[in-house]
Amino acid sequence: KITSLEIIKVPPSWVWLRIHTDTELTGLGEPYLENHPETVIAEVKRLEPFLIGKDPTQVEKLWKIMKTIEIASFQPRFQERSLPTMPL
């Protein structure tokens, strides 16, 4: 299960995301929206409650959850660019 999302901000405008699980496995990726690290961080934090406790091996299911959230929140610009790099 996903236990936490660790946001790593690297100046000037990079953001890395480490996904921690209840095993020794982790994921590392770069959610991305050029020159908008604070927006990226806010979106990762917004998605976090929907991902905690979920099985990280169920990638398609997690993508569907995040896409549903995208449609409900009208935030496709960020999601379309960032989701392909989320380390699930």
Side-chain angles (χ1 to χ4, degrees), residues 2-42:
I2 296 173
T3 57
S4 66
L5 303 182
E6 176 186 358
I7 298 167
I8 305 161
K9 186 176 177 188
V10 181
S13 62
W14 294 294
V15 177
W16 289 91
L17 176 64
R18 184 180 311 270
I19 295 182
H20 295 273
T21 68
D22 59 355
T23 70
E24 69 277 355
L25 298 177
T26 62
L28 182 64
E30 183 185 13
Y32 178 77
L33 181 60
E34 187 173 354
N35 297 319
H36 297 285
E38 298 307 322
T39 302
V40 170
I41 290 168

